[in-house]
Amino acid sequence: MSNVLSPHLTLTMGLGEGPLWHPEQNALYWVDILGGALHRLDFATDEHSVVAYDEAITCVVRHADGGFVAAMRSGLWRLDDQGARQTRLADAPEDSRDHRFNDGGCDPAGRFWIGTMNETQATADASLYCYDGQTLRARLGDMTITNGLAFSTDGRWMYHTDTPSRVIRRHAFDPASGEIGPGETWVDLNTLDIEGSPDGAAVDAEDHYWTALFGGAAVARFDPDGQLVARYPLAALQPTMPAFGGPDGRTLFVTTARENMDAATLAEWPHSGSVFSMTVDVPGRAAAAFNPGVNP
């Protein structure tokens, strides 16, 4: 294990987010939310390509029938294999002038869970939604910046966070029905000697939860009991989300952001906005694909 997160692809993204490993293509996808762009990197050839849109794109998930489902400011969209928009699946559920989708991913059965955020951060009126192929339904509310969505390896726990709270919560989860139990505080970063706020997340094969510490220049790994077991610094102040990839699932990719960083801070953290990676001993699985036929 390298234990060092190093720049994998040097970029100047405003808000790199949502890394997604595509096992059939042996490629990594991610978005630049502020740049309205979907990026792709071929793992074998290092060929890097970008699809640009006329609006913010916040995350993508693979579609079981090919292509992707993307969360954009205007709603949820079906994309083809090249990233071109095909059909709008659902309208944005909140006022798109100051709210947008943010972090999201699929549960083990293939439902698409996608949170929103209040860009003004003035009111905790964002929610976590679930899209089953037919309806987009709010499941959890009273949040400011929904983030940190992940599921335990057995699918029995759902994790998420409201980033400004610095608290990671978990809910008992039923993969068959998609029902969630009452939430509980799982990790409270306010009680730890650790900088940054929990952003995007991923779970490895040992059921350890990895979270990007936005503003903390590191990625943290927590065991199933919520105990901090490791912290991995990187040369970017604002890491946004980790994801496991590579043919064996042993490459950890991390997206980062330059958003709201002044010239002096960027000079101190010049690799901000790049994609980082490191080799890990414990692999993770590729994220589940969206299944439009899953029970609501």
Side-chain angles (χ1 to χ4, degrees):
M1 181 170 174
S2 66
N3 290 323
V4 176
L5 279 158
S6 303
H8 191 96
L9 183 66
T10 300
L11 298 169
T12 57
M13 294 183 293
L15 184 51
E17 262 286 7
L20 173 75
W21 178 254
H22 198 305
E24 288 81 13
Q25 296 184 16
N26 198 36
L28 181 74
Y29 286 84
W30 68 94
V31 301
D32 179 0
I33 296 177
L34 300 182
L38 174 64
H39 292 252
R40 180 185 187 275
L41 181 68
D42 187 291
F43 193 71
T45 66
D46 282 336
E47 180 182 356
H48 173 224
S49 58
V50 182
V51 178
Y53 306 96
D54 59 0
E55 61 176 319
I57 177 172
T58 72
C59 75
V60 294
V61 294
R62 292 181 296 126
H63 194 294
D65 296 331
F68 304 90
V69 177
M72 295 185 171
R73 185 174 290 277
S74 60
L76 301 182
W77 287 81
R78 178 75 186 273
L79 309 182
D80 66 16
D81 286 325
Q82 286 71 48
R85 277 182 290 202
Q86 295 182 308
T87 307
R88 179 151 48 187
L89 303 174
D91 292 335
E94 298 165 5
D95 189 340
S96 61
R97 291 174 296 181
D98 53 14
H99 290 68
R100 62 165 171 79
F101 285 119
N102 196 46
D103 179 66
C106 291
D107 68 31
R111 304 173 192 86
F112 185 20
W113 294 76
I114 176 71
T116 58
M117 66 173 286
N118 183 325
E119 292 174 297
T120 70
Q121 299 189 36
T123 308
D125 59 355
S127 297
L128 179 66
Y129 293 81
C130 182
Y131 179 67
D132 59 22
Q134 298 179 2
T135 59
L136 179 67
R137 183 161 63 105
R139 303 299 300 275
L140 296 170
D142 302 323
M143 288 182 277
T144 303
I145 303 176
T146 57
N147 244 321
L149 181 79
F151 295 87
S152 60
T153 54
D154 63 4
R156 297 300 176 181
W157 291 105
M158 183 184 79
Y159 303 95
H160 75 94
T161 181
D162 185 356
T163 292
S165 73
R166 303 188 76 229
V167 172
I168 302 168
R169 297 176 62 79
R170 71 176 184 177
H171 294 254
F173 185 74
D174 182 351
S177 67
E179 291 304 312
I180 54 179
E184 62 185 31
T185 295
W186 183 62
V187 174
D188 186 349
L189 294 182
N190 301 293
T191 66
L192 303 177
D193 183 19
I194 192 167
E195 295 182 350
S197 298
D199 204 307
V203 171
D204 66 25
E206 291 183 346
D207 240 3
H208 285 55
Y209 180 94
W210 297 68
T211 181
L213 297 172
F214 190 90
V219 175
R221 184 182 187 226
F222 293 90
D223 70 16
D225 294 322
Q227 299 300 308
L228 178 66
V229 296
R231 178 182 170 278
Y232 301 96
L234 72 166
L237 180 62
Q238 299 178 156
T240 56
M241 184 175 177
F244 293 93
D248 58 1
R250 295 179 187 273
T251 301
L252 184 77
F253 297 99
V254 181
T255 47
T256 67
R258 299 167 70 89
E259 181 184 26
N260 297 327
M261 295 174 65
D262 60 25
T265 308
L266 285 171
E268 182 180 358
W269 303 95
H271 292 295
S272 294
S274 297
V275 176
F276 286 71
S277 70
M278 73 176 180
T279 303
V280 296
D281 289 333
V282 179
R285 296 176 298 179
F290 174 69
N291 176 10
V294 69
N295 294 327

